[in-house]
Amino acid sequence: MKRSLTLLLGIVAFVPAYFGQVTGFALTGLSLSPNTVLVSCDQEVNIGFSAVTPATNSTVSYDLPYTILGNNFNGFQFQAVVDWGDGSNTLSGGGTSTTGTNISMNPPLSHLYSAPGSYVITTSIYNPANQTYVFDSLYYTVGSCTYQAYAAVGLDCNNDGTIEQNLQNVPFQLIGSNGQVYQNNNQTSGMLQFTNLAPGTYNLQIDPSWLAASGYIVSSSFPSGPITLPNPGVTTYMFTLICNQGAVQLCVGGTVFCDANNNGIFDSNEATLNNVPVVVNGITTYSNANGQYNISFAGVANQYYPIQINPNYLANTNNSISSSAPDSVLAYPCVIGAPPIATNIPFNCISPSTVFCYGGYVFCDDNGNGVFDANESPIAFAPVILYTQNSTSNSVTVYTDSLGYFSYCGSFANTSNVIMAQVSSTWLAYNGIATSPIITLLGSNNGQMNYGLIAINCGGQATTCADMWTTVTPWIGYYQGSTAYIKLNWGNYGPQAANNYTLTLTYPAGVTLNTSSIQNSGYTISGNTITWNLNNASTFFSTYDVITFQVPSGLASGTQHIFSSTINPTGSNTDCAQFNNQGSLLQIVGNSYDPNDKTAATSYNFEGSVFPPDYLDYTIIDPLTYTIRFQNTGTAPAQNIYIIDTLSPNLDINTFTLLESTHPIQVINLGNGVFRFEFNQIWLPDSSTNEPASHGHFTYRIIESASNQFGTEIDNTAYIYFDWNDPIITNTTHHVNSQLESVQELNGALKIHPNPSNKYIDLSLESPNEVLIKDINGKTVFHELVFPNQIIDIEHLKNGIYFIESDNKYGKLIKN
């Protein structure tokens, strides 16, 4: 920033001082096109300008298309200086008497970087006629192509046309035209991702050395042909392998069982164990319902090969079993029609005496007697924090169900059967409740639960208050010229029923709604907003609808489309907490489909916004909403699923709030920003048996640290464990605090003057309109009919960030 300011002062030094009224086009801002993508495969970047409104009548395409904003446009000449961030600068001049057209620059603002990387590009515009100037600074990445593909590999060992086994962890390679090899070794979820690629032509193949070592030959692959970067799209590949008949095919098999008498022999009265991951020579298979496993691979006959149980399985069974399996196995040639020589795997099955169970109820104690009376309301989805008497640094958070009930079983407090419990203070604050009592819970390991009661003083809310929520989540990929699937989620956590309520879904301009996909009747459509007026008498419910849209062809990859939802009671009941009454989903055209991913939304992901999806305004303490999705794409139900999520140290852990979960969930704070989200006994169906039910997700909200400065980055990555398999590693979400243009300078946004402000604002309305002002938690602090030229008093508002809505336009206000 210091470098760009020096350049700007250098320009001003050549212009005589001007001491009169400012005339001509007074510059107020630079606005970047909402479809701009701040990453490029090639290493050349060019910048273009238009005045007042974006250029629409030209086929010229710029990497960074700016609109110069201002007042009193009557044609003007200007100077532009670009600091490219690599020590190079370009001084150029231009002028126009027409709005909305590309401005010819002399010389053209184009720069070729000598090396790939991320650069800070600072653009400054100066009007010498009235000495006004504006500038913008952003991060831009060049020379970094990414290629993603979905690959399925089937093994037809005897080449009879029947796939006997779907292979995972198959190493793939991209081969460049220059012979350079790029590896991808994580194909557990079927998704391949190659990054930091240079533009050019590539071919996808399975690692030949792995094929040779495994004794496999590629029988067929579809599709075939080269991949050309940039912008190749995402392709689904199908590979079929056969066994190399020249190699000896070996077979290993046996039974996995509980060795009750510890003699190492599978006796007739001993129980088998199913779904146990057995690994032989690096190949994994699972024991079936009868505890039997079979593995085949190419190798040398009568040799010993390593065998083990997947360590993740042993580590995540509450220490109830330990393996005494051999560390090697003698492999024999396969005999068609005959089972392999049995290598049985005994387990020492232990009943863990140190695992206790805890449970209780959370409810609105209307009469203050501490007893859950019949006429009192349970509180659903309240986060109950469990911790030991000696330490609160590590804790377990469980969420109440529709009856206000919570429970936890595990070795969290294995040194004592006494723990403490209370409702999260953050959740209480969001719901307008002062405090939660701290109660003592006694653990039990004999199947008889000792229930505790957390009696909440709801402050009179119990008879009037519901807690409605909504989110929008992705379903599959988002491409031009295709059908997009958007999942609208909503429900009520209570403690009272919402009864009548309104639900909306607003979709981006240009996409076409398929009304036949809407499952809930009684809706109306106005513009790009679907509105339902619904009724539900339940104090707790959770539902969703998957709605499809046609995305038109001809859109550039990287085009941003935003889907947003709202929900509010319309009857006599009010809403306890409004921070979860809005959902937002940013879909980027060209995004691939990975059923296990992590997405993030910021407070200004609303329609009309031109903010890059990974940028934050460094002057604002932003709340971020994260959604982690998972899908069982295996061939059997997933019994237990857990997610390890490593939160950035630049997030305020104390503001963590779970907004929604598709299944009962337990949250464990492991310390140092590491959270474990557990779905115990979820039994998630596999996608081949029940595709709709094979999906799950959860959404949480967290606020960035108040100490974050300009340039502070926030990265998050999640690790998804299905039973005892190796983790599926999600994409990494990335945000950086930077300088963003004010909302009033954006296309289609409200004009807010002054902004920032500490006393009053004017919205420059052309006709009377309802105006809503909401705080950063979504709470409405102003809702009135406002007339043209009417001043809105904001002096009573606390300092901070607010969002304003009127006539389907949005704005961001900073109160200081």
Side-chain angles (χ1 to χ4, degrees):
M1 301 305 297
K2 193 176 294 184
R3 182 191 308 152
S4 63
L5 181 60
T6 302
L7 289 169
L8 190 60
L9 292 175
I11 299 172
V12 176
F14 289 101
V15 180
Y18 184 83
F19 296 102
Q21 180 182 3
V22 175
T23 60
F25 190 41
L27 307 186
T28 61
L30 283 177
S31 175
L32 199 58
S33 167
N35 297 330
T36 303
V37 180
L38 302 180
V39 63
S40 173
C41 261
D42 58 34
Q43 291 172 220
E44 184 176 14
V45 178
N46 53 74
I47 297 176
F49 301 105
S50 62
V52 182
T53 60
T56 58
N57 62 342
S58 174
T59 59
V60 179
S61 177
Y62 294 100
D63 294 310
L64 296 176
Y66 277 108
T67 301
I68 305 173
L69 304 174
N71 302 312
N72 192 33
F73 179 81
N74 56 4
F76 77 122
Q77 300 291 318
F78 65 95
Q79 290 178 303
V81 177
V82 178
D83 178 352
W84 299 102
D86 62 349
S88 302
N89 304 289
T90 301
L91 172 64
S92 183
T96 183
S97 59
T98 308
T99 64
T101 60
N102 282 323
I103 300 172
S104 177
M105 299 299 297
N106 185 23
L109 290 174
S110 180
H111 183 63
L112 181 64
Y113 288 91
S114 60
S118 294
Y119 299 89
V120 179
I121 300 177
T122 302
T123 303
S124 304
I125 302 294
Y126 172 68
N127 184 358
N130 51 29
Q131 300 188 34
T132 58
Y133 67 90
V134 291
F135 70 95
D136 184 62
S137 183
L138 51 80
Y139 285 87
Y140 199 95
T141 302
V142 299
S144 178
C145 300
T146 297
Y147 178 62
Q148 290 181 303
Y150 187 87
V153 182
L155 176 61
D156 177 14
C157 189
N158 57 9
N159 200 21
D160 65 353
T162 300
I163 300 296
E164 298 106 14
Q165 188 177 353
N166 291 313
L167 301 181
Q168 295 186 343
N169 298 312
V170 176
F172 280 84
Q173 298 176 337
L174 269 186
I175 310 298
S177 57
N178 59 356
Q180 186 170 359
V181 179
Y182 297 86
Q183 289 283 151
N184 182 291
N185 294 307
N186 182 21
Q187 198 251 326
T188 304
S189 65
M191 288 302 302
L192 309 176
Q193 179 165 301
F194 300 88
T195 58
N196 299 320
L197 303 174
T201 302
Y202 297 83
N203 285 287
L204 181 70
Q205 68 177 25
I206 298 177
D207 187 340
S209 61
W210 180 87
L211 289 170
S214 304
Y216 299 140
I217 299 174
V218 177
S219 171
S220 64
S221 63
F222 179 84
S224 58
I227 302 157
T228 302
L229 299 178
N231 300 324
V234 179
T235 308
T236 297
Y237 290 89
M238 303 295 295
F239 286 83
T240 301
L241 307 184
I242 60 175
C243 291
N244 185 352
Q245 301 305 313
V248 178
Q249 199 66 22
L250 306 177
C251 286
V252 175
T255 302
V256 183
F257 66 98
C258 269
D259 190 12
N261 56 14
N262 201 29
N263 65 353
I265 300 173
F266 181 30
D267 300 314
S268 60
N269 63 338
E270 291 177 329
T272 60
L273 295 173
N274 66 335
N275 208 25
V276 176
V278 182
V279 185
V280 179
N281 199 33
I283 301 174
T284 301
T285 191
Y286 294 84
S287 58
N288 62 19
N290 298 318
Q292 298 172 347
Y293 74 95
N294 290 286
I295 294 178
S296 62
F297 58 94
V300 180
N302 302 317
Q303 294 290 323
Y304 282 91
Y305 289 89
I307 181 173
Q308 68 170 345
I309 303 301
N310 188 305
N312 288 327
Y313 173 84
L314 296 174
N316 290 282
T317 52
N318 288 326
N319 298 317
S320 59
I321 61 174
S322 62
S323 172
S324 57
D327 58 6
S328 62
V329 60
L330 188 63
Y332 296 93
C334 299
V335 178
I336 297 177
I341 297 175
T343 299
N344 295 331
I345 302 178
F347 274 85
N348 181 14
C349 297
I350 306 168
S351 218
S353 59
T354 56
V355 175
F356 293 98
C357 292
Y358 310 87
Y361 292 86
V362 180
F363 63 99
C364 283
D365 189 17
D366 294 342
N367 56 17
N369 66 352
V371 178
F372 193 180
D373 298 315
N375 62 338
E376 292 177 329
S377 301
I379 302 179
F381 213 66
V384 180
I385 301 176
L386 310 177
Y387 55 93
T388 63
Q389 291 176 300
N390 298 324
S391 174
T392 59
S393 58
N394 292 329
S395 62
V396 176
T397 301
V398 293
Y399 289 79
T400 57
D401 63 14
S402 59
L403 301 177
Y405 177 70
F406 66 90
S407 65
Y408 171 76
C409 293
S411 55
F412 168 66
N414 55 13
T415 60
S416 171
N417 68 333
V418 178
I419 63 173
M420 316 303 291
Q422 68 180 113
V423 176
S424 162
S425 59
T426 302
W427 183 90
L428 293 171
Y430 283 147
N431 287 271
I433 300 173
T435 60
S436 164
I438 301 174
I439 67 169
T440 300
L441 294 178
L442 297 178
S444 170
N445 59 1
N446 60 8
Q448 301 296 319
M449 188 75 76
N450 301 312
Y451 299 111
L453 298 177
I454 302 181
I456 300 293
N457 179 3
C458 296
Q461 293 183 349
T463 58
T464 60
C465 168
D467 185 8
M468 307 295 293
W469 61 267
T470 179
T471 61
V472 190
T473 53
W475 190 256
I476 63 173
Y478 199 81
Y479 307 99
Q480 58 172 323
S482 65
T483 301
Y485 293 75
I486 302 299
K487 188 178 182 185
L488 174 64
N489 314 280
W490 74 96
N492 178 30
Y493 295 141
Q496 289 297 310
N499 294 321
N500 296 322
Y501 65 94
T502 298
L503 174 71
T504 71
L505 175 65
T506 300
Y507 52 93
V511 303
T512 303
L513 167 67
N514 296 322
T515 54
S516 60
S517 67
I518 302 176
Q519 299 301 308
N520 284 273
S521 58
Y523 61 86
T524 60
I525 300 176
S526 176
N528 286 9
T529 298
I530 314 168
T531 301
W532 293 266
N533 290 304
L534 303 173
N535 181 282
N536 194 302
S538 301
T539 58
F540 178 90
F541 73 91
S542 175
T543 188
Y544 69 89
D545 196 354
V546 178
I547 302 175
T548 64
F549 300 83
Q550 294 304 126
V551 182
S553 301
L555 297 177
S557 292
T559 299
Q560 299 177 26
H561 280 176
I562 295 175
F563 296 81
S564 59
S565 63
T566 66
I567 191 169
N568 284 291
T570 56
S572 58
N573 280 355
T574 58
D575 199 295
C576 302
Q578 295 183 328
F579 69 92
N580 55 359
N581 287 43
Q582 298 168 319
S584 178
L585 170 66
L586 172 64
Q587 291 284 67
I588 300 178
V589 174
N591 264 13
S592 62
Y593 167 49
D594 185 344
N596 303 281
D597 67 358
K598 183 172 186 177
T599 59
T602 62
S603 55
Y604 25 70
N605 272 349
F606 47 74
E607 195 65 27
S609 169
V610 301
F611 295 128
D614 53 355
Y615 277 61
L616 303 174
D617 191 326
Y618 84 100
T619 65
I620 301 168
I621 303 173
D622 287 290
L624 291 96
T625 302
Y626 291 98
T627 297
I628 299 178
R629 299 188 305 150
F630 50 88
Q631 184 187 20
N632 179 10
T633 57
T635 57
Q639 177 180 343
N640 299 295
I641 297 174
Y642 70 93
I643 292 91
I644 298 293
D645 195 4
T646 304
L647 302 183
S648 168
N650 297 319
L651 295 171
D652 184 354
I653 302 300
N654 295 322
T655 64
F656 173 91
T657 305
L658 187 70
L659 298 184
E660 178 222 351
S661 176
T662 55
H663 300 80
I665 189 173
Q666 295 177 352
V667 184
I668 302 177
N669 182 357
L670 300 177
N672 296 320
V674 181
F675 278 69
R676 175 174 169 134
F677 302 88
E678 294 186 350
F679 297 91
N680 296 317
Q681 298 298 307
I682 186 174
W683 290 105
L684 192 70
D686 62 271
S687 56
S688 60
T689 303
N690 188 341
E691 204 284 336
S694 67
H695 296 264
H697 72 262
F698 61 95
T699 301
Y700 66 86
R701 179 179 184 271
I702 191 167
I703 298 176
E704 67 169 323
S705 297
S707 59
N708 289 350
Q709 302 296 319
F710 180 87
T712 299
E713 298 184 7
I714 300 174
D715 292 334
N716 270 344
T717 305
Y719 298 78
I720 304 174
Y721 293 82
F722 289 86
D723 288 328
W724 23 88
N725 293 308
D726 291 333
I728 298 172
I729 303 175
T730 70
N731 56 293
T732 297
T733 62
H734 174 77
H735 291 88
V736 60
N737 278 271
S738 188
Q739 181 167 332
L740 304 179
E741 299 296 333
S742 298
V743 171
Q744 71 270 19
E745 297 171 351
L746 305 179
N747 243 1
L750 285 173
K751 295 180 180 179
I752 307 173
H753 302 286
N755 194 5
S757 176
N758 62 356
K759 291 186 177 181
Y760 63 87
I761 56 172
D762 176 18
L763 301 183
S764 301
L765 299 177
E766 297 180 357
S767 61
N769 275 293
E770 279 190 297
V771 173
L772 281 84
I773 303 179
K774 297 182 178 181
D775 65 16
I776 203 166
N777 291 319
K779 181 180 180 180
T780 299
V781 296
F782 179 91
H783 186 185
E784 294 182 10
L785 180 66
V786 177
F787 293 87
N789 301 318
Q790 179 180 335
I791 299 300
I792 300 176
D793 184 5
I794 62 167
E795 192 170 6
H796 64 286
L797 299 180
K798 297 179 180 179
N799 291 346
I801 181 72
Y802 294 87
F803 299 101
I804 306 179
E805 177 182 352
S806 180
D807 194 25
N808 292 321
K809 293 183 179 181
Y810 300 84
K812 179 183 66 176
L813 167 67
I814 300 175
K815 168 66 165 54
N816 60 12

